[in-house]
Amino acid sequence: ILVDRARLLEMQKRQKEGHHLCYAERLWLSKLASEYRCKSTKIESLLVHVDVVPPSLALAQAILETGGGRSSAALKKNSPFGYMATKTQVAKFESLLHSVQAYTLNLNRHVAYAAFRKERAVQRNSNQTLCGHKLAPLLVKYSVRGPAYTKDLQNLIHNHGLKGYDSMVLEQPMRLKP
């Protein structure tokens, strides 16, 4: 997500400098808009969708959805976010990475989380660190429990000191050349 976001920001910078996008770049924007179910291929619109979920929020949701990682969905299905395959079956993922990818894509494109994306963009545009505690109430549709669910997320973030994870930066390991 961050690689795509960085590419979008670079393209946006070049456009502001008066440069035009080449055909391959416009094609990439179209593909990205389709992947994120964004109605526009404008970079400003895509930046609202193509962004990370604050770690504190993802961790709180994983804790809440799996009973602290002890549920069979987490242990047997690599499914820490309560992602449902059907109305009664929790989705099974090949790996935790695949589960995280599905989770972030869901938050970044589903209409139910538009307010979440909008507030996240406001935080970004005002140069704030993305704050899971502030964004949690906007996931009211993630659970049938509604506001009680989001209050539990905020309590987990606060009580477990998860907010500190929002300002951490993970670096890509260097890749060795063959």
Side-chain angles (χ1 to χ4, degrees):
I1 294 171
L2 289 176
V3 170
D4 288 343
R5 186 171 177 81
R7 185 173 178 190
L8 285 168
L9 290 168
E10 176 59 33
M11 291 166 71
Q12 182 183 50
K13 179 183 172 190
R14 286 192 358 253
Q15 278 187 324
K16 286 181 179 178
E17 293 170 350
H19 299 280
H20 295 283
L21 301 178
C22 70
Y23 175 77
E25 290 171 321
R26 291 192 310 272
L27 193 62
W28 180 75
L29 290 175
S30 181
K31 180 180 175 251
L32 202 61
S34 176
E35 179 181 350
Y36 283 88
R37 296 182 187 154
C38 184
K39 294 177 182 171
S40 172
T41 58
K42 292 184 179 181
I43 292 172
E44 293 75 20
S45 297
L46 284 164
L47 284 169
V48 173
H49 290 265
V50 183
D51 205 347
V52 296
V53 175
S56 66
L57 184 56
L59 289 167
Q61 285 193 270
I63 291 168
L64 189 57
E65 294 287 342
T66 65
R70 295 183 298 270
S71 74
S72 63
L75 298 171
K76 296 177 182 174
K77 295 185 174 187
N78 290 316
S79 191
F81 299 106
Y83 200 86
M84 302 300 285
T86 67
K87 287 188 177 191
T88 59
Q89 295 289 327
V90 175
K92 183 176 183 173
F93 293 93
E94 183 179 320
S95 68
L96 282 175
L97 176 62
H98 288 98
S99 178
V100 171
Q101 289 170 331
Y103 163 76
T104 55
L105 190 59
N106 183 36
L107 292 184
N108 281 331
R109 71 181 187 183
H110 196 286
V111 68
Y113 312 118
F116 163 81
R117 291 188 296 273
K118 184 177 179 183
E119 176 57 30
R120 181 180 61 185
V122 167
Q123 289 181 15
R124 278 278 191 213
N125 292 335
S126 59
N127 293 318
Q128 298 175 33
T129 298
L130 297 182
C131 179
H133 193 272
K134 290 179 184 175
L135 291 169
L138 301 170
L139 297 183
V140 71
K141 294 182 180 177
Y142 197 90
S143 167
V144 295
R145 295 181 52 232
Y149 177 80
T150 61
K151 188 66 175 166
D152 285 348
L153 290 176
Q154 288 182 306
N155 287 338
L156 280 167
I157 291 168
H158 177 74
N159 294 338
H160 291 282
L162 301 178
K163 198 171 184 178
Y165 289 102
D166 291 344
S167 58
M168 291 185 174
V169 177
L170 298 176
E171 294 185 22
Q172 292 270 357
M174 288 181 46
R175 296 194 178 164
L176 300 174
K177 294 181 182 178

